[in-house]
Amino acid sequence: MTVSIRALLGACALGALATTAAAETTITVATVNNGDMVRMQSYMDDFYKMHPDIKVEWVTLEENILRQKVTTDIATKGGQFDVLTIGTYEVPIWGKQGWLVPLNDMPADYDVDDLLPAIRSGLTVDGNLYAAPFYGESSFVMYRKDLMEKAGLTMPDKPTWADITKAAEAMTDKDNGIYGICLRGKAGWGENMAFLSAMDNSMGGSWFNMDWQPQFDTAPWNETLTTYLDLMTKYGPPGASSNGFNENLALFQQGKCGMWMDATVAASFVTNPKDSTVADKVGFALAPNKEGIDKRANWLWAWTLGIPAGTKNEAAAKTFVEWATSKHYTELVAAKEGWANVPPGTRTSLYENPEYLKAAPFAQMTLESINAADPTHPSVMDVPYTGVQFVAIPEFQAIATAVGQQFSAALAGQMTTEQALASAQSLTEREMKKAGYIK
């Protein structure tokens, strides 16, 4: 009898331990320090009410550092993270390599078919969805309507680079700390090179020709970098070579920028009176093109949540990803922050919602920009790759980061345009030879 009681007590103890373990399942989420992601962390009470058996630990990092850490972790199977914040560059490459868990079993009320086709297709490989989009974006021009009016100018809905240059000059008032234009200068394949790659497309250029030969020694890249450096040195803020998305967002919100060309997701932040001193003065225009070139400098991107293959907490990770990218989460943000501040660019239903369209004056232009970006034809030239502001090959991340360092150095005055382009051409040729793309 005693043995039986002991056995029973032991079984009960084991059962209690198992219950405790289940109640304390902890997942680690690696994310970027962008406003939408930071905001999500303040809403975790909602998640915990729905899923009290799951706890979430956050690792929030600056964009370049996040990319380095998650890439290293997944490539080495380090297992540090259960959920990764990754983008449309990584998802198809990693999905094809079997590094990500497919998300084909989302529940019916998640409504996968509601995801915008342009965004969903970039996250799908061989019919498998490998990440869920938290927000989607293209890029466009945000500008100060009051400063344009003061300068006697009107911003076209579809500006050219000549229009942008004219407006930047007219709005610059350095004595009063106002700079005509703010653009990404911080080195990184997803920082300055995202902007410059899209800009080069709009100048008629490309990263590579059909033989995978780098194109930095061609006229379009020369015009791209020359125009960029002229804009930034004449009409941009000091120290611009250190400025990425967050730094330029802060400058624009503080009234320091006449124009800012960047991610459409920034629109809700620059028009939010809680954070922006110019919230009621912001206008929007499509990303510019060079006159005569039928391609604008708008990119296509989504920050997404993916699950690394081999995680020990796959079920809990899926539960979190479903919550964070659901219609329910969108409605939660709308209830707390207003419809204008919900994560944009992922669902068709959002752009059919009259409350959102009324609250967000940038909604239609965001959708137009997203739909206009064509990753399958990023350049007016024939190219062997896909991707608008990136080239969808594994080697691009390292190559473009190195090129970005050359262009950031040119912005800082450490080398000439010609030297930066020659260095970019040389290092890209070398790496493409190593990788076997060219002989």
Side-chain angles (χ1 to χ4, degrees):
M1 180 68 71
T2 305
V3 173
S4 298
I5 291 173
R6 284 179 178 169
L8 180 61
L9 289 172
C12 289
L14 287 172
L17 285 172
T19 302
T20 302
E24 295 177 354
T25 300
T26 300
I27 60 171
T28 303
V29 179
T31 197
V32 66
N33 65 340
N34 289 353
D36 282 296
M37 300 299 191
V38 173
R39 177 187 289 148
M40 177 167 53
Q41 296 172 42
S42 69
Y43 293 168
M44 291 307 295
D45 283 350
D46 179 83
F47 178 76
Y48 293 142
K49 285 177 187 175
M50 298 169 68
H51 306 286
D53 56 330
I54 302 171
K55 299 301 176 188
V56 179
E57 291 184 353
W58 296 89
V59 177
T60 307
L61 302 166
E62 186 271 331
E63 189 169 320
N64 285 339
I65 298 171
L66 173 77
R67 288 184 164 123
Q68 293 167 7
K69 286 199 176 287
V70 298
T71 300
T72 300
D73 190 61
I74 201 165
T76 60
K77 299 181 180 178
Q80 292 183 60
F81 310 116
D82 301 295
V83 177
L84 310 172
T85 302
I86 51 180
T88 42
Y89 167 70
E90 295 96 344
V91 173
I93 295 173
W94 294 3
K96 191 174 291 186
Q97 291 173 318
W99 290 358
L100 298 172
V101 175
L103 301 179
N104 298 327
D105 54 353
M106 291 293 212
D109 62 359
Y110 182 80
D111 196 4
V112 171
D113 290 337
D114 186 43
L115 298 178
L116 287 171
I119 299 297
R120 182 180 175 182
S121 64
L123 309 175
T124 302
V125 180
D126 298 330
N128 294 309
L129 182 69
Y130 280 106
F134 181 69
Y135 66 75
E137 66 181 43
S138 185
S139 52
F140 60 13
V141 181
M142 295 159 276
Y143 65 92
R144 290 273 301 279
K145 292 186 290 186
D146 58 326
L147 295 181
M148 286 290 286
E149 185 178 349
K150 183 179 178 182
L153 298 176
T154 300
M155 177 67 76
D157 286 342
K158 299 179 179 180
T160 64
W161 284 108
D163 294 324
I164 295 298
T165 300
K166 184 178 180 181
E169 180 180 11
M171 287 191 285
T172 297
D173 182 4
K174 292 185 180 180
D175 289 342
N176 289 304
I178 297 174
Y179 304 93
I181 192 162
C182 293
L183 301 172
R184 297 187 186 195
K186 183 186 291 184
W189 72 269
E191 284 280 7
N192 64 342
M193 289 314 298
F195 176 81
L196 285 165
S197 296
M199 184 177 180
D200 183 63
N201 292 336
S202 74
M203 294 290 190
S206 63
W207 260 83
F208 301 100
N209 65 14
M210 287 299 291
D211 296 320
W212 289 104
Q213 294 286 345
Q215 298 297 290
F216 293 106
D217 57 357
T218 62
W221 264 110
N222 188 289
E223 185 171 11
T224 295
L225 192 57
T226 299
T227 302
Y228 168 78
L229 293 176
D230 279 350
L231 283 169
M232 294 297 281
T233 53
K234 292 178 181 176
Y235 316 121
S241 60
S242 299
N243 291 347
F245 175 87
N246 285 329
E247 291 80 8
N248 284 324
L249 171 60
L251 286 170
F252 194 94
Q253 288 176 324
Q254 293 161 12
K256 302 292 187 183
C257 304
M259 280 181 294
W260 179 31
M261 221 174 305
D262 212 295
T264 54
V265 73
S268 67
F269 295 106
V270 298
T271 56
N272 187 337
K274 291 181 183 178
D275 305 310
S276 176
T277 63
V278 296
D280 60 343
K281 299 178 176 67
V282 185
F284 303 94
L286 294 176
N289 68 315
K290 179 184 176 182
E291 192 168 344
I293 300 294
D294 189 23
K295 187 69 69 174
R296 294 193 170 273
N298 58 307
W299 63 61
L300 184 65
W301 183 256
W303 275 118
T304 76
L305 300 178
I307 301 170
T311 174
K312 296 176 182 178
N313 299 308
E314 182 178 316
K318 280 187 178 178
T319 298
F320 173 78
V321 169
E322 177 196 337
W323 171 82
T325 61
S326 66
K327 293 179 184 179
H328 165 79
Y329 180 82
T330 300
E331 291 164 359
L332 177 67
V333 177
K336 290 180 177 288
E337 305 285 344
W339 275 104
N341 297 300
V342 303
T346 64
R347 290 185 175 271
T348 300
S349 58
L350 182 64
Y351 293 91
E352 295 172 346
N353 184 330
E355 290 183 86
Y356 180 65
L357 297 179
K358 182 180 179 181
F362 45 82
Q364 289 294 353
M365 192 159 285
T366 294
L367 184 62
E368 185 177 346
S369 297
I370 287 173
N371 288 336
D374 185 357
T376 61
H377 298 94
S379 171
V380 294
M381 311 291 287
D382 289 333
V383 294
Y385 57 86
T386 60
V388 182
Q389 78 280 24
F390 58 82
V391 177
I393 58 174
E395 296 80 9
F396 179 79
Q397 182 169 342
I399 292 173
T401 295
V403 171
Q405 289 166 350
Q406 310 308 306
F407 293 169
S408 187
L411 179 57
Q414 297 167 3
M415 61 174 69
T416 65
T417 302
E418 292 72 22
Q419 288 170 333
L421 289 168
S423 181
Q425 180 75 12
S426 175
L427 73 85
T428 306
E429 278 184 356
R430 183 176 66 247
E431 294 305 315
M432 292 300 280
K433 285 178 180 177
K434 278 187 193 176
Y437 289 86
I438 55 179
K439 294 181 180 180

